[in-house]
Amino acid sequence: MADIFLNNLFLIIAALIMAIYLFLGIISMFQLIDYKRANRYTEFNALLSSPLAPGVTVIAPAYNESKTIVDNIKALFTIQYNNYEIILVNDGSTDDTLNRIIQEFDLVETEYIAYAALPTQPVKGIYKSRNQAYSFLTVVDKQNGGKADALNAGINVSHFPYFVAIDVDSIVIPDALQKLVKPFLSHTDNKTIATGGVIRIANSCKIENGQVVQVNVPDEYIARFQVVEYLRAFLMGRMAWSKLNGLLIISGALGMFDKDIVVQCGGYNSNTVGEDMELVVRMRRYLYEQGVKHKVEYIPDPLCWTEVPATHDALQRQRNRWTRGNMDTLKMHRKLFFNPKYGRLGMLGYPFWLFFEWLAPLVEAGGYVFMLFLLMTSMINWPVFLFLLLFVYLFSVSFSFYAVLFDEFTFHRYHRFAHLRKLFIIPFIEPIVYHPLNVYWAIRGNISFLKGNRKWDKLERQGFSNTASE
Amino acid sequence: MLRRYKAIAVFTTAMILLIAFSSIVKSWLMQKNWVLEGNNIFDWLHDLGRYLMATIEANQKQSTLLLWLFPVLFTALLLTVVNIVTIALFILLRRWGSIRFLHRKNEMRKKVQASIIEYLYGDSESALEQMKQLKKQMLIEEIISLRKQITGSQTENLQQLFYQLGLDTFVVQKIKSARWFNKVLYIDAAQWMQVYASFELIQPYQYAGNPHLRNVAQMACVNLDTGQAFAFLNILDQSLPIWHQILLHKTMVRSSLPLPDFYSFLQSENASVIVFALNMIRLFSQKGSKDEIIRLVTHHDPVVRRNALRVVRDLNIYEAIPVVKQNFLGETLRVQVGMIQALSLDKPQETFEFYRNIWLDTPRRLQAEILKHVSPGLQAMLLKDMERVQIEQKQN
């Protein structure tokens, strides 16, 4: 009796998951089409000359980035915007990160009046350049407190009403700020409080002067899997949630925020490893409690390129951290769960995240255990089992193919036939190799969380090379 | 309604079709003999389906749910395979096709561009004849693209070319298109090429629900209406976002349009219209009733107050200073920052006295904002005074 019940349960869950993903895929498709049509002739560069364009602060925390920091900052100079400042926060680096910046940009410690609206570790000094060409660069040197703390220090020093939080080693495309700021300026009924853009994978791409000049599919399989994974997550998942106004996360690699609201909510939370998600949830929760109509918007344009973990170990640590951050945020904001007071956030976004992002790997692992039990007790109906397995596998493959199709139709970044050949293979291998690993890492993340692990585990990047693989 | 819930409509339709199709598949599987019998692949699928169904039925322990769902799952599996193959083929064909299409389009574009240059700087008659053979949409795209990049006398020649090719009537026809994004494209063209005949057609779209269409229509009407270019602001009940304001401002500057009396919009009930009028008054330094501006310093909407304060500062409306000082402490932080900037108009000594009097009632964050935004001289005076107060407090 119990096995029939479990059979039915897993069947219903699987069918429900597939139906929901299908639905989200359809919403994303319409959202992408609408975005392309609406912005086909948009004069984003109107922001470059308009005195009405708001100022934007770019905040980039850095910790022990000595080798690449100068190039990273120079890459930020390629940003095209009318009125912006860059605040680099040296988060207590133990190497010579600060010295290298001081020397390269001719910085001097300066008197600076700023009210610490957000509590942070002590600031040791604020530096500005003597060279007028770098007048928009400010460097904050502070004691180590983690990424969230560094971002809060940057917010305290910032001048402008909007800020962009970025990973210093990400490659931001020149018009990223124009595209990110537009939703803040275009809103009518719902106030835009945060925007994010699609993050693309820069492994094996050719980089010159801080810009991606040749896009390639990564050489390493582990990074290649993530290409399809990111396409699915951004073009099919977040686009749909943006349309449904149920977004819970803006990627830490690149996101723009309304500073006033962030400050009112208390800024980034230094006590969680999922500070990017936690901030968005807290902002939204706060605004629901204040009765302010608002939205968090995702832009399908690839605005930022980042290096993803290319080794098993690095990826495992990243996923472990993501799971812990996820659990932490869900736990902190459990009040939202099916709470109609929090609108779509409480009734849609939060439950989805709970069931599909946190619980789904656990349920899936439960399914594997159940399958093992059936195997050991010889209760498995092989033909039916293989049929269902094939169905789930092919559904997963087709979903990934849709993600590649969406990219092809919209931004078309992988334009060579060789890219397609590589991308077409991934959906077939991914469910067998990569997906089970993800489930395993998610379970380990759960265990780490329960053990009280709150470590950030900095991702060690290999750095971009100037020569792309062919 | 259907547009709003199109995703739900598509999803529901897909589910209905899946169930309908699965009932056909089920009846196909139930039959021993069927129409396409003899085809290897179909026979194999048919046998597989029948075998699986029989296995589920035979197994006592198998749930009835699976039995019921099987035709749906089997159909979905078939469709998924078809889907994967179709998408892969589609991407490949599209890639192949798009390379050829782009190549052809680029060739065509070069041809159009060469003809336009020939028209502007060479033999205009033959170039015109040549262009009459080309696709109108591409001609419009190229002419508008060029028009956006040039200024001076050639713009008139370009406009003349546009009319000689009969593109004005084509544009008017296309504005009637049912698709909003086509309307946007051709309204923009009408705006750039001064197609006055399209004005009546465009006018209603100034109040359209679609913000993109509304915005481009507003810009077009500002350009095309020789009389009351900004009349739409009097009846606009939708919000005029900053993005639209930026584009309207750009249009005015680009086309050197005669400015309306923006003070006349300051009475509007639509706060976004007031903000726009204030911005334009500030950017064009338009002179008018100072009392109107001072009144808006105490408007109920903080965004209006903030923008009114910018006008006070930029247009040197000294008369507003007493009102600013009077309302300073009760304001929101962002407005207070605007007030601090507006108070820079006042004499330094008087501003210093004002800040000194309110200093102890001022939260630390606001104190920091004051120090950040005042002139260096005033900042030094305030810091010195703070030191004095601290010393006095320690002594007491």
Side-chain angles (χ1 to χ4, degrees):
Chain A
M1 209 50 201
D3 58 325
I4 292 181
F5 170 76
L6 285 173
N7 262 332
N8 285 348
L9 184 72
F10 284 118
L11 201 62
I12 290 167
I13 291 172
L16 199 68
I17 289 174
M18 287 179 198
I20 288 174
Y21 277 113
L22 183 68
F23 183 54
L24 291 176
I26 294 169
I27 297 174
S28 299
M29 181 184 73
F30 284 119
Q31 181 75 344
L32 280 169
I33 293 170
D34 282 350
Y35 179 85
K36 288 293 281 183
R37 281 175 179 165
N39 291 293
R40 194 170 160 199
Y41 299 102
T42 300
E43 290 182 74
F44 285 104
N45 60 11
L47 287 165
L48 297 181
S49 56
S50 178
L52 295 175
V56 176
T57 303
V58 177
I59 305 175
Y63 176 72
N64 287 353
E65 309 269 358
S66 169
K67 282 181 197 162
T68 55
I69 192 69
V70 171
D71 287 339
N72 291 336
I73 295 175
K74 284 182 177 170
L76 290 177
F77 292 169
T78 60
I79 291 174
Q80 292 169 358
Y81 195 72
N82 178 18
N83 189 15
Y84 80 107
E85 62 177 349
I86 296 171
I87 295 179
L88 185 111
V89 186
N90 177 40
D91 189 29
S93 296
T94 49
D95 63 3
D96 65 340
T97 301
L98 183 65
N99 283 338
R100 292 204 63 176
I101 312 170
I102 289 174
Q103 277 168 16
E104 181 68 29
F105 300 104
D106 193 16
L107 301 179
V108 282
E109 197 167 349
T110 178
E111 291 279 318
Y112 209 88
I113 294 168
Y115 173 70
L118 303 170
T120 64
Q121 291 294 320
V123 171
K124 293 192 270 187
I126 291 176
Y127 297 81
K128 295 283 288 180
S129 178
R130 273 187 288 231
N131 185 341
Q132 267 306 104
Y134 304 131
S135 60
F136 52 88
L137 174 69
T138 303
V139 175
V140 178
D141 181 34
K142 64 178 277 291
Q143 277 183 21
N144 183 262
K147 188 182 173 186
D149 194 67
L151 285 166
N152 284 341
I155 295 168
N156 283 340
V157 176
S158 69
H159 280 101
F160 296 126
Y162 301 108
F163 74 88
V164 174
I166 65 159
D167 283 345
V168 72
D169 46 11
S170 296
I171 296 166
V172 180
I173 66 156
D175 58 357
L177 294 198
Q178 297 166 38
K179 287 181 174 163
L180 282 172
V181 83
K182 188 181 166 260
F184 288 94
L185 310 177
S186 308
H187 70 81
T188 47
D189 303 328
N190 290 353
K191 185 180 172 68
T192 303
I193 57 163
T195 52
V198 169
I199 312 295
R200 286 299 178 93
I201 291 169
N203 300 45
S204 305
C205 291
K206 188 175 179 184
I207 318 288
E208 270 177 21
N209 301 323
Q211 287 303 308
V212 175
V213 291
Q214 187 185 314
V215 177
N216 283 312
V217 175
D219 293 333
E220 314 90 359
Y221 259 90
I222 211 140
R224 219 178 271 180
F225 288 133
Q226 292 170 79
V227 169
V228 176
E229 186 188 24
Y230 274 46
L231 284 180
R232 265 198 325 255
F234 286 102
L235 292 183
M236 298 186 80
R238 293 193 191 171
M239 281 313 293
W241 283 108
S242 174
K243 175 72 180 170
L244 294 170
N245 199 12
L247 263 177
L248 260 69
I249 188 166
I250 290 289
S251 171
L254 179 79
M256 187 179 277
F257 299 87
D258 184 315
K259 189 173 86 175
D260 276 358
I261 295 168
V262 171
V263 171
Q264 281 164 32
C265 297
Y268 283 92
N269 185 342
S270 308
N271 299 317
T272 177
V273 288
E275 76 293 326
D276 42 6
M277 178 177 171
E278 202 280 328
L279 176 70
V280 175
V281 176
R282 190 149 34 87
M283 283 170 82
R284 300 201 62 177
R285 183 176 169 178
Y286 169 79
L287 290 173
Y288 271 114
E289 284 165 359
Q290 300 290 315
V292 179
K293 279 184 169 184
H294 64 276
K295 63 180 174 181
V296 175
E297 210 164 300
Y298 236 92
I299 297 157
D301 274 303
L303 301 181
C304 173
W305 295 80
T306 191
E307 188 189 348
V308 295
T311 64
H312 179 277
D313 187 49
L315 185 64
Q316 183 259 119
R317 277 185 285 132
Q318 185 197 52
R319 297 306 153 107
N320 185 301
R321 178 167 57 78
W322 285 5
T323 306
R324 284 184 282 125
N326 196 355
M327 287 178 75
D328 216 6
T329 307
L330 291 173
K331 190 181 160 202
M332 273 182 216
H333 299 282
R334 56 189 176 277
K335 194 183 170 189
L336 300 175
F337 185 62
F338 280 124
N339 190 338
K341 187 180 160 191
Y342 297 101
R344 289 182 186 185
L345 178 70
M347 300 302 285
L348 283 177
Y350 185 96
F352 177 86
W353 212 268
L354 184 86
F355 290 125
F356 291 85
E357 295 290 333
W358 175 55
L359 271 179
L362 301 180
V363 172
E364 197 176 330
Y368 295 142
V369 173
F370 180 58
M371 195 184 80
L372 275 176
F373 165 76
L374 292 178
L375 263 175
M376 286 191 295
T377 52
S378 301
M379 285 162 75
I380 208 153
N381 182 343
W382 279 103
V384 176
F385 167 73
L386 288 174
F387 164 72
L388 291 176
L389 195 69
L390 182 70
F391 176 63
V392 172
Y393 170 75
L394 286 175
F395 181 84
S396 161
V397 173
S398 78
F399 205 68
S400 297
F401 263 86
Y402 271 111
V404 179
L405 178 72
F406 281 14
D407 180 57
E408 176 71 18
F409 254 104
T410 50
F411 302 103
H412 191 56
R413 286 293 181 268
Y414 299 105
H415 53 272
R416 291 185 183 176
F417 277 104
H419 295 159
L420 280 185
R421 197 187 65 229
K422 288 176 185 172
L423 284 182
F424 279 1
I425 297 168
I426 295 300
F428 290 101
I429 314 172
E430 193 209 0
I432 306 164
V433 180
Y434 184 68
H435 183 72
L437 279 175
N438 262 313
V439 172
Y440 172 63
W441 292 328
I443 291 164
R444 283 190 62 174
N446 275 275
I447 296 166
S448 298
F449 179 80
L450 294 174
K451 281 183 177 171
N453 180 2
R454 299 288 185 274
K455 255 169 60 189
W456 219 86
D457 278 337
K458 188 178 185 295
L459 176 64
E460 277 157 30
R461 301 186 197 261
Q462 296 177 334
F464 299 120
S465 113
N466 280 348
T467 44
S469 61
E470 292 302 323
Chain B
M1 185 70 176
L2 198 64
R3 268 179 69 91
R4 194 175 161 85
Y5 298 105
K6 54 194 173 191
I8 296 175
V10 170
F11 178 73
T12 314
T13 313
M15 288 296 120
I16 292 168
L17 285 175
L18 176 66
I19 291 167
F21 197 51
S22 66
S23 64
I24 297 169
V25 169
K26 190 180 177 183
S27 62
W28 173 57
L29 293 176
M30 302 281 263
Q31 288 168 4
K32 276 190 174 175
N33 305 309
W34 51 289
V35 187
L36 284 172
E37 212 174 345
N39 180 309
N40 282 342
I41 297 173
F42 283 107
D43 278 348
W44 183 79
L45 274 175
H46 187 253
D47 293 346
L48 177 72
R50 281 182 68 84
Y51 168 69
L52 286 168
M53 218 157 67
T55 314
I56 296 167
E57 274 172 348
N59 196 330
Q60 296 284 312
K61 287 201 165 184
Q62 216 66 61
S63 72
T64 46
L65 180 71
L66 184 62
L67 192 63
W68 181 77
L69 267 180
F70 176 74
V72 179
L73 295 176
F74 191 73
T75 312
L77 182 123
L78 297 180
L79 290 176
T80 310
V81 175
V82 174
N83 238 335
I84 294 168
V85 177
T86 315
I87 294 170
L89 279 175
F90 187 77
I91 293 174
L92 287 170
L93 286 173
R94 190 177 182 273
R95 181 67 58 92
W96 181 67
S98 70
I99 290 169
R100 286 184 55 198
F101 173 74
L102 280 177
H103 181 72
R104 275 214 318 266
K105 202 174 172 183
N106 279 340
E107 287 298 310
M108 183 70 90
R109 181 163 287 142
K110 277 180 195 164
K111 208 171 160 183
V112 172
Q113 285 168 349
S115 300
I116 295 173
I117 300 297
E118 176 68 15
Y119 178 86
L120 294 176
Y121 300 102
D123 181 0
S124 54
E125 283 304 313
S126 68
L128 188 66
E129 286 309 312
Q130 218 175 357
M131 277 188 276
K132 278 181 181 167
Q133 317 299 320
L134 301 173
K135 274 190 171 179
K136 287 187 172 174
Q137 188 176 338
M138 178 155 284
L139 283 167
I140 291 177
E141 279 177 15
E142 287 307 312
I143 291 174
I144 299 298
S145 162
L146 184 61
R147 173 62 189 88
K148 286 181 179 178
Q149 293 165 40
I150 61 167
T151 51
S153 61
Q154 289 297 4
T155 59
E156 283 167 24
N157 293 339
L158 209 55
Q159 204 165 320
Q160 192 185 332
L161 168 68
F162 190 83
Y163 282 90
Q164 281 178 331
L165 287 168
L167 297 177
D168 53 330
T169 46
F170 181 76
V171 160
V172 172
Q173 281 304 314
K174 284 287 185 180
I175 290 173
K176 292 173 188 163
S177 157
R179 297 178 162 198
W180 69 266
F181 45 90
N182 277 339
K183 285 186 202 292
V184 169
L185 172 64
Y186 292 105
I187 290 175
D188 190 46
Q191 179 207 168
W192 280 97
M193 286 296 139
Q194 306 280 302
V195 184
Y196 291 102
S198 64
F199 179 68
E200 297 279 311
L201 211 55
I202 298 171
Q203 223 178 4
Y205 298 126
Q206 292 181 103
Y207 315 102
N210 183 320
H212 307 286
L213 182 57
R214 189 166 73 231
N215 182 221
V216 76
Q218 284 165 357
M219 287 197 295
C221 288
V222 163
N223 254 320
L224 298 174
D225 191 348
T226 46
Q228 293 259 303
F230 284 91
F232 74 92
L233 291 176
N234 289 319
I235 36 175
L236 187 74
D237 53 9
Q238 289 128 322
S239 177
L240 188 69
I242 297 288
W243 177 250
H244 292 192
Q245 297 187 25
I246 287 171
L247 294 179
L248 280 169
H249 173 248
K250 195 177 176 187
T251 306
M252 276 188 276
V253 174
R254 190 163 51 196
S255 308
S256 307
L257 296 175
L259 298 181
D261 176 17
F262 284 112
Y263 284 83
S264 66
F265 302 113
L266 295 180
Q267 303 279 355
S268 173
E269 286 182 8
N270 186 338
S272 65
V273 170
I274 303 177
V275 170
F276 175 64
L278 285 168
N279 277 327
M280 294 307 108
I281 287 169
R282 180 168 64 87
L283 295 175
F284 293 111
S285 301
Q286 199 173 53
K287 300 287 177 207
S289 164
K290 289 179 180 176
D291 289 343
E292 273 298 309
I293 306 290
I294 295 167
R295 181 180 65 80
L296 293 174
V297 171
T298 56
H299 191 271
H300 62 84
D301 188 322
V303 183
V304 173
R305 294 203 295 275
R306 226 165 52 219
N307 283 283
L309 286 162
R310 283 186 192 152
V311 179
V312 166
R313 183 192 60 194
D314 289 4
L315 267 62
N316 300 328
I317 304 178
Y318 299 98
E319 294 83 344
I321 287 171
V323 183
V324 173
K325 285 180 176 172
Q326 195 185 334
N327 292 285
F328 188 80
L329 283 178
E331 266 300 352
T332 61
L333 186 76
R334 272 218 195 180
V335 180
Q336 280 172 327
V337 171
M339 287 178 150
I340 297 164
Q341 287 164 339
L343 285 174
S344 62
L345 291 176
D346 204 5
K347 290 172 190 155
Q349 190 56 40
E350 285 183 21
T351 320
F352 171 67
E353 289 298 331
F354 170 71
Y355 286 137
R356 202 163 73 158
N357 289 336
I358 60 155
W359 200 256
L360 293 175
D361 302 323
T362 310
R364 285 187 68 83
R365 188 163 180 207
L366 182 57
Q367 288 178 350
E369 293 295 342
I370 293 171
L371 291 170
K372 227 156 83 174
H373 288 95
V374 293
S375 64
L378 193 54
Q379 190 190 80
M381 284 162 76
L382 284 166
L383 286 170
K384 202 173 167 188
D385 194 60
M386 276 167 66
E387 270 175 38
R388 183 188 57 79
V389 172
Q390 276 173 356
I391 292 165
E392 278 176 13
Q393 277 174 348
K394 273 183 190 169
Q395 283 170 351
N396 292 334

